[in-house]
Protein backbone atom coordinates (compact mmCIF):
# COMPACT_ATOMS: atom_id res chain seq x y z
CA UNK A 1 0.00 0.00 0.00
CA UNK A 2 1.35 3.43 -0.93
CA UNK A 3 2.12 5.97 1.77
CA UNK A 4 -0.69 8.46 2.47
CA UNK A 5 -0.44 11.83 0.74
CA UNK A 6 -1.01 15.10 2.62
CA UNK A 7 -1.27 18.72 1.53
CA UNK A 8 -1.34 21.96 3.49
CA UNK A 9 -4.83 23.52 3.75
CA UNK A 10 -3.71 26.47 1.61
CA UNK A 11 -2.82 24.06 -1.20
CA UNK A 12 -6.19 22.33 -1.35
CA UNK A 13 -8.05 22.67 -4.64
CA UNK A 14 -11.48 21.90 -6.03
CA UNK A 15 -11.45 18.36 -7.41
CA UNK A 16 -9.24 16.87 -4.67
CA UNK A 17 -10.58 13.88 -2.78
CA UNK A 18 -9.95 14.59 0.90
CA UNK A 19 -9.85 12.13 3.80
CA UNK A 20 -10.39 13.83 7.15
CA UNK A 21 -8.67 11.88 9.91
CA UNK A 22 -11.25 13.06 12.42
CA UNK A 23 -14.39 11.77 14.06
CA UNK A 24 -17.46 12.69 11.98
CA UNK A 25 -18.65 14.76 14.97
CA UNK A 26 -15.49 16.90 14.74
CA UNK A 27 -16.30 18.45 11.38
CA UNK A 28 -19.42 19.79 9.63
CA UNK A 29 -19.32 17.62 6.49
CA UNK A 30 -21.68 14.71 5.81
CA UNK A 31 -18.76 12.30 5.37
CA UNK A 32 -15.16 12.18 6.50
CA UNK A 33 -13.99 11.54 2.94
CA UNK A 34 -15.33 13.29 -0.14
CA UNK A 35 -14.51 15.14 -3.36
CA UNK A 36 -14.09 18.89 -2.87
CA UNK A 37 -16.62 20.52 -5.19
CA UNK A 38 -16.76 24.24 -4.38
CA UNK A 39 -15.10 27.21 -2.69
CA UNK A 40 -17.34 26.98 0.37
CA UNK A 41 -16.03 23.50 1.11
CA UNK A 42 -12.46 24.72 0.64
CA UNK A 43 -13.02 27.58 3.06
CA UNK A 44 -14.55 25.27 5.66
CA UNK A 45 -11.69 22.79 5.34
CA UNK A 46 -9.17 25.58 5.87
CA UNK A 47 -11.00 26.72 9.00
CA UNK A 48 -10.66 23.33 10.67
CA UNK A 49 -7.30 24.33 12.11
CA UNK A 50 -5.38 21.36 10.67
CA UNK A 51 -1.72 21.65 9.65
CA UNK A 52 -2.21 19.17 6.83
CA UNK A 53 -5.06 17.27 5.23
CA UNK A 54 -4.86 13.84 3.67
CA UNK A 55 -5.89 13.43 0.03
CA UNK A 56 -6.31 10.48 -2.31
CA UNK A 57 -4.78 11.33 -5.72
CA UNK A 58 -6.36 8.25 -7.32
CA UNK A 59 -9.87 9.45 -6.49
CA UNK A 60 -9.15 13.10 -7.19
CA UNK A 61 -10.00 14.65 -10.52
CA UNK A 62 -7.10 14.75 -12.94
CA UNK A 63 -6.35 18.50 -12.78
CA UNK A 64 -6.45 18.54 -8.98
CA UNK A 65 -4.32 15.42 -8.79
CA UNK A 66 -1.68 17.09 -10.98
CA UNK A 67 -1.70 20.15 -8.74
CA UNK A 68 -1.39 17.91 -5.68
CA UNK A 69 1.59 16.03 -7.16
CA UNK A 70 3.38 19.31 -7.91
CA UNK A 71 2.70 20.64 -4.43
CA UNK A 72 3.92 17.45 -2.80
CA UNK A 73 7.17 17.69 -4.78
CA UNK A 74 7.64 21.38 -3.96
CA UNK A 75 6.85 21.31 -0.25
CA UNK A 76 7.64 17.70 0.70
CA UNK A 77 4.35 17.73 2.59
CA UNK A 78 4.70 14.19 3.87
CA UNK A 79 7.04 15.70 6.45
CA UNK A 80 6.21 19.40 6.38
CA UNK A 81 9.01 21.51 8.00
CA UNK A 82 7.86 24.05 10.57
CA UNK A 83 9.22 26.93 8.43
CA UNK A 84 7.03 25.81 5.52
CA UNK A 85 3.74 26.21 7.35
CA UNK A 86 1.21 28.05 5.24
CA UNK A 87 -0.03 31.52 6.30
CA UNK A 88 -3.37 29.97 7.20
CA UNK A 89 -1.83 27.23 9.34
CA UNK A 90 -1.72 27.60 13.14
CA UNK A 91 1.47 28.36 15.06
CA UNK A 92 4.19 25.67 14.93
CA UNK A 93 3.18 22.51 16.77
CA UNK A 94 2.71 18.78 16.23
CA UNK A 95 2.17 17.65 12.66
CA UNK A 96 -0.69 15.28 13.49
CA UNK A 97 -4.34 16.35 13.51
CA UNK A 98 -5.51 17.94 16.78
CA UNK A 99 -7.83 15.97 19.03
CA UNK A 100 -10.57 18.55 18.61
CA UNK A 101 -10.46 20.91 15.61
CA UNK A 102 -11.07 24.61 16.00
CA UNK A 103 -14.08 25.86 14.05
CA UNK A 104 -14.39 29.58 14.76
CA UNK A 105 -18.06 29.97 14.02
CA UNK A 106 -20.92 30.97 16.28
CA UNK A 107 -23.29 28.31 14.95
CA UNK A 108 -21.02 25.25 14.91
CA UNK A 109 -22.42 22.79 12.30
CA UNK A 110 -20.59 19.84 13.88
CA UNK A 111 -21.96 20.69 17.33
CA UNK A 112 -25.44 21.05 15.86
CA UNK A 113 -25.15 17.68 14.18
CA UNK A 114 -23.86 16.14 17.42
CA UNK A 115 -26.93 17.43 19.27
CA UNK A 116 -29.23 16.19 16.50
CA UNK A 117 -27.51 12.78 16.69
CA UNK A 118 -28.00 12.70 20.48
CA UNK A 119 -31.69 13.55 20.20
CA UNK A 120 -32.28 10.94 17.52
CA UNK A 121 -30.53 8.27 19.59
CA UNK A 122 -32.66 9.26 22.58
CA UNK A 123 -35.85 9.06 20.49
CA UNK A 124 -34.95 5.60 19.21
CA UNK A 125 -34.08 4.42 22.73
CA UNK A 126 -37.45 5.69 23.99
CA UNK A 127 -39.23 3.90 21.14
CA UNK A 128 -37.35 0.68 21.99
CA UNK A 129 -38.48 0.89 25.63
CA UNK A 130 -42.12 1.58 24.76
CA UNK A 131 -42.17 -1.20 22.19
CA UNK A 132 -40.67 -3.67 24.69
CA UNK A 133 -43.34 -2.81 27.26
CA UNK A 134 -46.09 -3.14 24.64
CA UNK A 135 -44.69 -6.46 23.45
CA UNK A 136 -44.80 -7.83 26.98
CA UNK A 137 -48.49 -6.94 27.29
CA UNK A 138 -49.34 -8.48 23.91
CA UNK A 139 -47.36 -11.63 24.74
CA UNK A 140 -49.18 -12.09 28.05
CA UNK A 141 -52.65 -11.40 26.67
CA UNK A 142 -52.09 -13.70 23.69
CA UNK A 143 -51.02 -16.53 25.98
CA UNK A 144 -53.92 -16.10 28.43
CA UNK A 145 -56.74 -14.94 26.18
CA UNK A 146 -58.74 -18.17 26.22
CA UNK A 147 -58.39 -18.58 29.99
CA UNK A 148 -59.06 -14.93 30.93
CA UNK A 149 -60.60 -13.12 27.95
CA UNK A 150 -62.08 -10.27 30.01
CA UNK A 151 -58.73 -9.50 31.65
CA UNK A 152 -56.92 -9.77 28.30
CA UNK A 153 -59.35 -7.40 26.59
CA UNK A 154 -59.04 -4.85 29.40
CA UNK A 155 -55.23 -4.92 29.23
CA UNK A 156 -55.24 -4.50 25.44
CA UNK A 157 -57.69 -1.60 25.72
CA UNK A 158 -55.38 0.10 28.21
CA UNK A 159 -52.34 -0.58 26.02
CA UNK A 160 -53.95 0.80 22.86
CA UNK A 161 -55.30 3.86 24.69
CA UNK A 162 -51.79 4.61 25.93
CA UNK A 163 -50.21 4.19 22.49
CA UNK A 164 -52.96 6.24 20.85
CA UNK A 165 -52.59 9.09 23.36
CA UNK A 166 -48.82 9.05 22.84
CA UNK A 167 -49.21 9.05 19.06
CA UNK A 168 -51.69 11.91 19.04
CA UNK A 169 -49.48 13.84 21.45
CA UNK A 170 -46.66 14.22 18.93
CA UNK A 171 -46.68 16.58 15.97
CA UNK A 172 -44.72 15.24 13.03
CA UNK A 173 -44.29 11.48 13.51
CA UNK A 174 -40.89 9.89 12.99
CA UNK A 175 -41.04 6.13 12.36
CA UNK A 176 -38.07 4.24 13.83
CA UNK A 177 -36.68 0.82 13.00
CA UNK A 178 -36.41 -1.26 16.17
CA UNK A 179 -33.56 -3.56 17.06
CA UNK A 180 -33.93 -7.32 16.77
CA UNK A 181 -36.37 -8.77 19.29
CA UNK A 182 -36.10 -12.09 21.00
CA UNK A 183 -37.01 -15.10 18.88
CA UNK A 184 -40.20 -17.11 18.91
CA UNK A 185 -43.81 -16.09 19.52
CA UNK A 186 -44.21 -14.79 15.98
CA UNK A 187 -47.93 -14.28 16.50
CA UNK A 188 -47.59 -11.57 19.14
CA UNK A 189 -44.70 -9.87 17.29
CA UNK A 190 -46.86 -9.74 14.18
CA UNK A 191 -49.90 -8.45 16.09
CA UNK A 192 -47.92 -5.61 17.66
CA UNK A 193 -46.23 -4.67 14.37
CA UNK A 194 -49.60 -4.50 12.63
CA UNK A 195 -51.12 -2.47 15.47
CA UNK A 196 -48.32 0.13 15.46
CA UNK A 197 -48.44 0.50 11.67
CA UNK A 198 -52.24 0.65 11.63
CA UNK A 199 -52.29 3.36 14.32
CA UNK A 200 -49.66 5.44 12.53
CA UNK A 201 -51.57 5.08 9.25
CA UNK A 202 -54.88 5.84 10.97
CA UNK A 203 -53.48 9.06 12.40
CA UNK A 204 -52.13 10.02 8.97
CA UNK A 205 -55.65 9.48 7.58
CA UNK A 206 -57.04 11.87 10.26
CA UNK A 207 -59.26 9.17 11.77
CA UNK A 208 -61.14 10.35 14.87
CA UNK A 209 -59.82 9.31 18.29
CA UNK A 210 -62.40 6.62 19.07
CA UNK A 211 -62.09 5.06 15.61
CA UNK A 212 -58.30 5.11 15.96
CA UNK A 213 -58.51 3.29 19.29
CA UNK A 214 -60.79 0.64 17.78
CA UNK A 215 -58.34 0.21 14.89
CA UNK A 216 -55.58 -0.46 17.40
CA UNK A 217 -57.59 -3.01 19.37
CA UNK A 218 -58.69 -4.70 16.15
CA UNK A 219 -55.09 -4.88 14.95
CA UNK A 220 -53.91 -6.51 18.19
CA UNK A 221 -56.67 -9.13 17.93
CA UNK A 222 -56.84 -9.40 14.13
CA UNK A 223 -55.43 -12.95 14.13
CA UNK A 224 -57.43 -14.12 17.14
CA UNK A 225 -58.82 -16.94 14.99
CA UNK A 226 -55.27 -18.27 14.64
CA UNK A 227 -55.50 -19.58 18.20
CA UNK A 228 -57.42 -22.53 16.81
CA UNK A 229 -55.13 -23.06 13.83
CA UNK A 230 -52.35 -25.65 13.68
CA UNK A 231 -48.76 -24.41 13.88
CA UNK A 232 -48.16 -25.40 10.27
CA UNK A 233 -50.80 -23.00 8.98
CA UNK A 234 -50.10 -20.02 11.22
CA UNK A 235 -48.54 -16.89 9.73
CA UNK A 236 -47.32 -18.53 6.54
CA UNK A 237 -46.44 -16.37 3.57
CA UNK A 238 -46.00 -18.43 0.43
CA UNK A 239 -47.15 -21.77 -0.92
CA UNK A 240 -49.29 -23.87 1.45
CA UNK A 241 -50.74 -27.33 1.13
CA UNK A 242 -54.40 -27.29 0.03
CA UNK A 243 -55.67 -28.32 3.46
CA UNK A 244 -53.49 -25.73 5.19
CA UNK A 245 -54.74 -22.99 2.87
CA UNK A 246 -58.35 -23.95 3.56
CA UNK A 247 -57.70 -23.99 7.30
CA UNK A 248 -55.91 -20.67 7.20
CA UNK A 249 -58.82 -18.99 5.47
CA UNK A 250 -61.11 -20.03 8.32
CA UNK A 251 -59.31 -17.86 10.86
CA UNK A 252 -61.21 -14.72 9.82
CA UNK A 253 -64.65 -16.17 10.62
CA UNK A 254 -63.34 -18.02 13.67
CA UNK A 255 -61.79 -14.84 15.01
CA UNK A 256 -64.95 -12.79 14.48
CA UNK A 257 -67.03 -15.39 16.35
CA UNK A 258 -64.55 -15.52 19.23
CA UNK A 259 -64.48 -11.72 19.42
CA UNK A 260 -68.25 -11.46 19.81
CA UNK A 261 -68.37 -14.34 22.29
CA UNK A 262 -65.72 -12.69 24.46
CA UNK A 263 -67.38 -9.28 24.51
CA UNK A 264 -65.34 -7.34 21.96
CA UNK A 265 -67.29 -4.65 20.04
CA UNK A 266 -68.97 -5.57 16.76
CA UNK A 267 -66.70 -3.07 14.99
CA UNK A 268 -63.67 -5.09 16.10
CA UNK A 269 -65.31 -8.37 15.07
CA UNK A 270 -65.97 -6.88 11.62
CA UNK A 271 -62.27 -6.04 11.19
CA UNK A 272 -61.31 -9.60 12.17
CA UNK A 273 -63.73 -10.88 9.55
CA UNK A 274 -62.66 -8.51 6.74
CA UNK A 275 -58.91 -7.93 7.13
CA UNK A 276 -58.11 -10.30 4.23
CA UNK A 277 -60.71 -8.88 1.86
CA UNK A 278 -59.48 -6.92 -1.19
CA UNK A 279 -61.13 -3.90 -2.76
CA UNK A 280 -61.24 -5.66 -6.15
CA UNK A 281 -63.18 -8.62 -4.67
CA UNK A 282 -60.29 -11.09 -4.83
CA UNK A 283 -59.88 -11.54 -1.07
CA UNK A 284 -61.49 -13.86 1.47
CA UNK A 285 -63.63 -15.12 3.16
CA UNK A 286 -66.58 -13.49 1.32
CA UNK A 287 -64.90 -11.79 -1.67
CA UNK A 288 -66.23 -8.40 -0.59
CA UNK A 289 -65.34 -5.35 -2.66
CA UNK A 290 -65.33 -1.57 -2.53
CA UNK A 291 -67.51 0.02 0.12
CA UNK A 292 -68.54 -3.38 1.44
CA UNK A 293 -65.24 -3.34 3.36
CA UNK A 294 -65.15 -1.04 6.39
CA UNK A 295 -62.59 1.72 6.89
CA UNK A 296 -60.96 0.09 9.93
CA UNK A 297 -60.60 -3.21 8.06
CA UNK A 298 -58.94 -1.40 5.14
CA UNK A 299 -56.36 0.16 7.46
CA UNK A 300 -55.57 -3.13 9.20
CA UNK A 301 -55.45 -4.99 5.85
CA UNK A 302 -52.70 -2.72 4.52
CA UNK A 303 -50.62 -2.92 7.72
CA UNK A 304 -51.12 -6.69 7.92
CA UNK A 305 -50.05 -7.36 4.35
CA UNK A 306 -46.98 -5.13 4.59
CA UNK A 307 -45.81 -6.93 7.72
CA UNK A 308 -46.42 -10.35 6.15
CA UNK A 309 -44.24 -9.40 3.19
CA UNK A 310 -41.38 -8.13 5.38
CA UNK A 311 -41.59 -10.79 8.07
CA UNK A 312 -42.54 -14.00 6.33
CA UNK A 313 -41.91 -17.15 8.37
CA UNK A 314 -39.94 -18.64 5.51
CA UNK A 315 -36.78 -16.57 5.07
CA UNK A 316 -36.81 -17.17 1.31
CA UNK A 317 -40.25 -15.54 1.04
CA UNK A 318 -39.36 -12.36 2.94
CA UNK A 319 -38.61 -9.17 1.03
CA UNK A 320 -36.99 -5.89 2.06
CA UNK A 321 -39.22 -3.03 3.27
CA UNK A 322 -38.49 -1.17 0.02
CA UNK A 323 -39.54 -4.21 -2.03
CA UNK A 324 -42.66 -4.73 0.09
CA UNK A 325 -43.88 -1.19 -0.42
CA UNK A 326 -42.95 -1.23 -4.11
CA UNK A 327 -44.82 -4.51 -4.63
CA UNK A 328 -47.94 -3.24 -2.88
CA UNK A 329 -47.91 0.02 -4.81
CA UNK A 330 -46.94 -1.29 -8.24
CA UNK A 331 -48.53 -4.74 -8.46
CA UNK A 332 -51.15 -5.03 -5.70
CA UNK A 333 -52.60 -1.54 -5.49
CA UNK A 334 -55.98 -2.79 -6.71
CA UNK A 335 -56.26 -4.77 -3.46
CA UNK A 336 -56.12 -1.71 -1.21
CA UNK A 337 -57.66 1.68 -0.62
CA UNK A 338 -55.65 3.96 -2.93
CA UNK A 339 -55.63 6.96 -0.56
CA UNK A 340 -54.48 4.80 2.35
CA UNK A 341 -51.75 3.13 0.32
CA UNK A 342 -50.44 6.50 -0.84
CA UNK A 343 -50.47 7.72 2.75
CA UNK A 344 -48.52 4.62 3.85
CA UNK A 345 -45.81 5.49 1.31
CA UNK A 346 -45.69 8.99 2.77
CA UNK A 347 -45.58 7.74 6.37
CA UNK A 348 -42.84 5.15 5.80
CA UNK A 349 -41.03 7.01 3.03
CA UNK A 350 -40.05 5.69 -0.37
CA UNK A 351 -37.28 3.78 1.41
CA UNK A 352 -38.92 2.53 4.64
CA UNK A 353 -36.86 1.93 7.79
CA UNK A 354 -34.98 -1.34 7.43
CA UNK A 355 -34.21 -0.75 3.75
CA UNK A 356 -30.60 -1.22 2.66
CA UNK A 357 -29.39 1.37 0.17
CA UNK A 358 -26.37 2.57 -1.75
CA UNK A 359 -25.72 6.32 -1.63
CA UNK A 360 -24.58 8.60 -4.42
CA UNK A 361 -21.25 8.76 -2.60
CA UNK A 362 -20.89 4.99 -3.04
CA UNK A 363 -21.34 4.22 0.67
CA UNK A 364 -23.70 1.49 1.87
CA UNK A 365 -26.30 2.39 4.48
CA UNK A 366 -29.45 1.21 6.25
CA UNK A 367 -32.51 3.41 6.73
CA UNK A 368 -33.26 3.66 10.46
CA UNK A 369 -35.88 6.42 10.64
CA UNK A 370 -38.37 8.06 8.32
CA UNK A 371 -40.48 11.19 8.52
CA UNK A 372 -43.77 11.69 6.72
CA UNK A 373 -42.83 15.23 5.68
CA UNK A 374 -39.64 14.04 3.95
CA UNK A 375 -40.37 10.71 2.22
CA UNK A 376 -37.23 10.84 0.06
CA UNK A 377 -34.86 12.10 2.78
CA UNK A 378 -34.75 9.47 5.57
CA UNK A 379 -32.12 9.02 8.27
CA UNK A 380 -29.46 6.40 7.66
CA UNK A 381 -26.86 4.38 9.49
CA UNK A 382 -23.83 4.62 7.18
CA UNK A 383 -21.11 2.01 6.80
CA UNK A 384 -17.71 3.57 7.37
CA UNK A 385 -14.89 1.18 8.33
CA UNK A 386 -12.94 4.11 9.76
CA UNK A 387 -15.61 4.70 12.42
CA UNK A 388 -16.35 2.11 15.15
CA UNK A 389 -19.78 0.54 14.82
CA UNK A 390 -20.91 1.87 18.23
CA UNK A 391 -20.12 5.41 17.01
CA UNK A 392 -21.49 4.87 13.51
CA UNK A 393 -22.46 7.88 11.42
CA UNK A 394 -26.17 8.64 11.41
CA UNK A 395 -26.78 10.70 8.30
CA UNK A 396 -29.89 12.85 7.96
CA UNK A 397 -30.39 13.30 4.23
CA UNK A 398 -32.44 16.42 4.91
CA UNK A 399 -29.25 18.03 6.19
CA UNK A 400 -27.07 16.64 3.39
CA UNK A 401 -28.61 17.86 0.11
CA UNK A 402 -25.47 16.86 -1.80
CA UNK A 403 -26.09 13.18 -0.98
CA UNK A 404 -28.92 11.06 -2.35
CA UNK A 405 -29.96 7.41 -2.45
CA UNK A 406 -28.84 5.75 -5.69
CA UNK A 407 -30.61 2.41 -5.28
CA UNK A 408 -32.10 -0.04 -2.83
CA UNK A 409 -30.27 -3.29 -2.09
CA UNK A 410 -30.93 -6.75 -0.74
CA UNK A 411 -28.87 -8.00 2.19
CA UNK A 412 -27.14 -10.48 -0.11
CA UNK A 413 -25.61 -7.56 -2.04
CA UNK A 414 -23.58 -6.42 0.97
CA UNK A 415 -19.99 -7.47 1.50
CA UNK A 416 -19.46 -9.46 4.73
CA UNK A 417 -17.91 -6.48 6.53
CA UNK A 418 -20.79 -4.21 5.45
CA UNK A 419 -23.36 -6.78 6.59
CA UNK A 420 -21.70 -7.16 9.99
CA UNK A 421 -21.51 -3.37 10.41
CA UNK A 422 -25.07 -2.52 9.36
CA UNK A 423 -26.59 -5.61 11.06
CA UNK A 424 -29.82 -5.89 9.04
CA UNK A 425 -32.23 -7.83 11.27
CA UNK A 426 -34.23 -10.88 10.37
CA UNK A 427 -37.39 -9.15 11.56
CA UNK A 428 -38.60 -5.65 10.66
CA UNK A 429 -40.44 -3.86 13.47
CA UNK A 430 -41.37 -0.21 13.98
CA UNK A 431 -42.32 2.23 16.67
CA UNK A 432 -42.70 5.99 16.55
CA UNK A 433 -41.34 9.13 18.15
CA UNK A 434 -41.41 12.88 17.82
CA UNK A 435 -39.55 14.37 14.87
CA UNK A 436 -36.19 15.27 16.45
CA UNK A 437 -35.71 18.06 13.92
CA UNK A 438 -38.81 19.92 15.00
CA UNK A 439 -39.05 18.88 18.67
Amino acid sequence: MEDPVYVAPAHLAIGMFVILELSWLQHPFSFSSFLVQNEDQLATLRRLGLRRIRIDPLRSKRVAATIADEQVEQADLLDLPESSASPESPEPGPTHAPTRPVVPTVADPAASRSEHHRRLRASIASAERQAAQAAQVVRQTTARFLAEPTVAIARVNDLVTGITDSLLGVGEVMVHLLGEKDGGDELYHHSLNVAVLALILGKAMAVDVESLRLIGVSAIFHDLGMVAMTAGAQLQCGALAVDQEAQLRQHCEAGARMALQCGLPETVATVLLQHHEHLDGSGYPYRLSGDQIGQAARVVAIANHYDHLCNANRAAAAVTPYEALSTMFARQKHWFDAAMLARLVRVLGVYPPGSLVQLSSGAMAMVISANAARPLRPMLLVHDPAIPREEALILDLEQAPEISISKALRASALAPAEHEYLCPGKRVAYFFGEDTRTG
Side-chain angles (χ1 to χ4, degrees), residues 276-299:
H276 279 289
E277 298 285 5
H278 298 156
L279 257 67
D280 66 353
S282 64
Y284 65 86
Y286 296 132
R287 301 181 69 85
L288 301 179
S289 63
D291 293 338
Q292 293 177 309
I293 305 170
Q295 181 190 51
R298 298 183 191 200
V299 172

Side-chain angles (χ1 to χ4, degrees), residues 97-372:
T99 302
R100 179 70 64 171
V102 178
V103 185
T105 57
V106 176
D108 186 343
S112 175
R113 183 170 58 182
S114 178
E115 173 61 15
H116 175 48
H117 176 268
R118 185 196 64 76
R119 292 174 62 191
L120 178 61
R121 289 281 193 190
S123 182
I124 293 175
S126 176
E128 294 271 8
R129 290 193 297 272
Q130 293 181 67
Q133 294 168 358
Q136 185 176 15
V137 173
V138 177
R139 185 199 314 235
Q140 293 170 348
T141 55
T142 299
R144 299 184 61 81
F145 184 86
L146 292 180
E148 299 178 305
T150 302
V151 173
I153 291 171
R155 292 203 66 189
V156 168
N157 278 327
D158 289 343
L159 172 66
V160 170
T161 297
I163 296 176
T164 301
D165 289 346
S166 179
L167 180 62
L168 294 176
V170 301
E172 199 71 58
V173 174
M174 182 176 288
V175 181
H176 298 306
L177 176 70
L178 300 181
E180 192 74 19
K181 296 185 178 73
D182 56 311
D185 292 326
E186 298 294 335
L187 185 59
Y188 86 83
H189 281 311
H190 172 65
S191 297
L192 181 58
N193 288 348
V194 173
V196 170
L197 276 173
L199 286 168
I200 293 172
L201 178 56
K203 177 187 176 178
M205 296 298 299
V207 172
D208 65 84
V209 177
E210 181 58 22
S211 296
L212 190 61
R213 190 187 69 79
L214 287 171
I215 285 173
V217 173
S218 302
I220 294 289
F221 287 125
H222 78 278
D223 274 337
L224 184 60
M226 286 286 190
V227 174
M229 302 292 103
T230 64
Q234 287 184 18
L235 293 176
Q236 292 289 334
C237 184
L240 294 174
V242 174
D243 59 333
Q244 288 179 324
E245 177 71 25
Q247 186 181 25
L248 178 65
R249 288 176 176 248
Q250 294 173 14
H251 83 275
C252 298
E253 294 170 291
R257 286 194 299 270
M258 291 175 66
L260 293 175
Q261 291 168 359
C262 294
L264 282 164
E266 184 176 347
T267 303
V268 173
T270 299
V271 174
L272 271 58
L273 184 65
Q274 296 182 351
H275 71 278
H276 279 289
E277 298 285 5
H278 298 156
L279 257 67
D280 66 353
S282 64
Y284 65 86
Y286 296 132
R287 301 181 69 85
L288 301 179
S289 63
D291 293 338
Q292 293 177 309
I293 305 170
Q295 181 190 51
R298 298 183 191 200
V299 172
V300 174
I302 287 180
N304 178 57
H305 190 70
Y306 176 83
D307 191 69
H308 270 309
L309 289 175
C310 294
N311 297 313
N313 268 6
R314 295 187 302 109
V319 299
T320 67
Y322 173 80
E323 289 174 314
L325 210 54
S326 297
T327 296
M328 292 174 68
F329 196 80
R331 301 206 300 270
Q332 298 170 341
K333 63 191 311 180
H334 51 285
W335 289 3
F336 307 109
D337 183 296
M340 290 182 184
L341 189 55
R343 187 61 62 173
L344 182 68
V345 174
R346 185 169 183 82
V347 164
L348 294 181
V350 175
Y351 302 94
S355 298
L356 295 167
V357 297
Q358 183 173 15
L359 304 180
S360 56
S361 65
M364 304 300 177
M366 181 169 66
V367 180
I368 59 170
S369 299
N371 187 277

Side-chain angles (χ1 to χ4, degrees), residues 4 20 70 84 238 368:
L20 296 176
E70 293 174 353
S84 300
I368 59 170

